[in-house]
Amino acid sequence: MPPLLLIEDDAGDAFLVEELLQEVEKPPRITWVRSMAEAKERFTRDIQCVLVDLSLPDASGMEALRHVLAMAPDVAVLVLTGLNDAHVGIAAVAEGAEDYLVKGDVDARLLARAIRYALERKRADLAHQRLIQSELIRRENTRLEHGLLPVPLLAPGSVEHHTRYLPGRQRSLLAGDFYDTVQGPDGAIHTVVGDVCGHGPDEAALGVALRIAWRTLTLAGRHGNDALRTLDTVLRHERRSPEIFTTLCTATIEPGLRHATMHLVGHPPPVLIRGDEIDVVRGGPSGPPLGIFPEIEWKAIDVPLGDEWSLLVYTDGLIEASVDGGPDLLGTEGLLSIIEEQEGIDLDRLIERVTEINREALGDDLAAVLIARKG
């Protein structure tokens, strides 16, 4: 039985409790005090149960119990009452005690059982409180993370636009991968997909910072190297260590929707479907990831689109799936093969097939944006 604290000013009653507990199989270590002031001085973290009389020199009734509950909120509390004070014991349980015992009406077996039950109830209560707290925190995090995911700024009917976002962290909605799409006042469509190296809340926060910075720059009319250099500066100031870098792909689709300008900043090449032709965007990379070298110029890649096309921009979580659980990775060629088999890009079907090939849930973060114009 774990150590307990006995708060009892009557020496005879205290002696009786100590004698009864000596009869149990593993007698507890008992710390006996005569007042609430002494109890506060001698209470230690290893004490798991408190037996308290509600008639003390410096506290009585519910006041005494409240002092104990404030002093030891995570400890089982048993109240000791007189023969004519059973109603006080019931009130004490309503106030927060685990149980009450009537002096003179208890033996060793009953006392030991009451202490054990009180300990178990307290453990159950604490576990329930932790569960509720965890659920509340999860809900708050879910609301926060949903609020941080972007809502594309697109004119209705201009193009088809689909996104998927799958964090690798368990029980998380947000990861270091990020995406966004914004249509400018001239009708040009700007999109970005990025990947902060690493996994965890720090990387997720950095990804959100970069995504919001990109949207702000885009709405301000800053694109290409001008925007990339600013994002590089933001990354260097916001990252927690100098080893953190970020890859990304930006694409600006001109207002006529027949031509795009892209920057592949250390990022996997997008998949482009034009008519019956399925291939990755050639001509990259534009340069190294953000956060590696200062004073970098990233070259633009001109991509003719035509009248009917589909453009898939994604993070490497999609192509770094293992093939049948082995050492080989899917890669861009494997991704193209799946798209050819499925005769087009449906993000749900595509990710489902990649997951099947991986033989388990994808371990890396994944963000994907599909923009399509049908003739």
Side-chain angles (χ1 to χ4, degrees):
M1 189 173 291
L4 61 86
L5 175 66
L6 174 61
I7 311 175
E8 172 62 74
D9 65 326
D10 187 291
D13 289 339
F15 177 76
L16 177 61
V17 170
E18 291 177 330
E19 285 294 303
L20 291 175
L21 289 177
Q22 289 301 314
E23 298 180 23
V24 302
E25 183 177 351
K26 294 182 179 179
R29 175 173 60 81
I30 301 174
T31 301
W32 172 40
V33 297
R34 296 174 179 266
S35 66
M36 191 58 62
E38 189 180 355
K40 292 178 180 179
E41 290 179 359
R42 300 191 61 187
F43 179 78
T44 57
R45 290 183 177 273
D46 62 332
I47 291 174
Q48 299 183 31
C49 182
V50 175
L51 276 68
V52 56
D53 180 23
L54 297 185
S55 298
L56 299 172
D58 54 354
S60 62
M62 294 302 105
E63 179 190 4
L65 176 61
R66 294 188 189 106
H67 279 298
V68 173
L69 294 175
M71 175 184 69
D74 298 334
V75 171
V77 178
L78 281 166
V79 167
L80 301 174
T81 68
L83 289 173
N84 298 323
D85 294 329
H87 65 284
V88 176
I90 295 173
V93 171
E95 192 77 20
E98 300 302 320
D99 205 347
Y100 71 96
L101 296 168
V102 179
K103 296 179 182 179
D105 194 22
V106 63
D107 56 20
R109 184 179 62 85
L110 179 61
L111 178 57
R113 185 175 66 178
I115 292 173
R116 284 195 295 268
Y117 284 2
L119 289 168
E120 290 303 319
R121 278 193 294 271
K122 190 62 180 181
R123 291 191 188 102
D125 288 344
L126 292 174
H128 184 60
Q129 291 173 15
R130 286 192 293 269
L131 181 63
I132 292 175
Q133 185 179 26
S134 176
E135 178 64 16
L136 290 174
I137 292 174
R138 187 193 66 80
R139 290 180 181 178
E140 286 299 314
N141 286 340
T142 298
R143 283 193 287 269
L144 176 63
E145 292 178 335
H146 271 308
L148 292 173
L149 290 175
V151 177
L153 300 180
L154 280 171
S158 55
V159 291
E160 293 184 14
H161 184 271
H162 307 279
T163 63
R164 292 295 180 271
Y165 196 83
L166 299 174
R169 279 188 301 143
Q170 289 187 345
R171 298 183 297 278
S172 174
L173 293 176
L174 208 61
D177 291 10
F178 59 93
Y179 68 91
D180 204 351
T181 302
V182 172
Q183 189 166 16
D186 61 350
I189 296 172
H190 310 272
T191 192
V192 64
V193 173
D195 183 359
V196 178
C197 72
H199 306 275
D202 290 333
E203 289 74 16
L206 182 54
V208 171
L210 292 172
R211 198 270 299 173
I212 294 174
W214 177 87
R215 173 173 283 206
T216 303
L217 291 165
T218 301
L219 291 174
R222 296 176 61 182
H223 313 295
N225 271 277
D226 185 21
L228 291 173
R229 280 192 291 268
T230 303
L231 290 175
D232 184 74
T233 301
V234 172
L235 170 64
R236 293 175 187 274
H237 285 296
E238 296 292 331
R239 62 188 176 183
R240 57 183 173 82
S241 66
E243 293 79 20
I244 300 296
F245 63 88
T246 297
T247 71
L248 56 84
C249 172
T250 65
T252 296
I253 303 168
E254 52 85 23
L257 306 180
R258 291 178 173 82
H259 188 275
T261 301
M262 297 185 187
H263 288 85
L264 291 178
V265 183
H267 202 78
V271 174
L272 177 61
I273 300 179
R274 290 176 292 197
D276 295 331
E277 178 188 355
I278 303 174
D279 201 356
V280 295
V281 172
R282 305 294 178 178
S286 301
L290 301 180
I292 301 293
F293 303 111
E295 305 299 329
I296 289 293
E297 288 286 329
W298 291 272
K299 73 172 183 178
I301 303 171
D302 294 323
V303 183
L305 298 176
D307 294 328
E308 184 174 345
W309 49 267
S310 297
L311 178 68
L312 173 64
V313 190
Y314 56 90
T315 55
D316 58 9
L318 189 62
I319 58 175
E320 291 188 352
S322 65
V323 178
D324 296 327
D328 296 331
L329 301 182
L330 180 66
T332 54
E333 295 302 321
L335 179 63
L336 291 174
S337 297
I338 296 174
I339 293 172
E340 290 175 356
E341 291 172 4
Q342 296 184 345
E343 299 180 348
I345 303 174
D346 179 303
L347 283 181
D348 287 334
R349 291 178 61 216
L350 177 62
I351 293 173
E352 181 181 1
R353 180 62 182 138
V354 172
T355 304
E356 287 177 358
I357 293 174
N358 193 59
R359 292 192 175 182
E360 60 182 1
L362 300 178
D364 197 5
D365 307 327
L366 167 62
V369 174
L370 174 64
I371 303 176
R373 183 192 187 207
K374 304 302 181 183

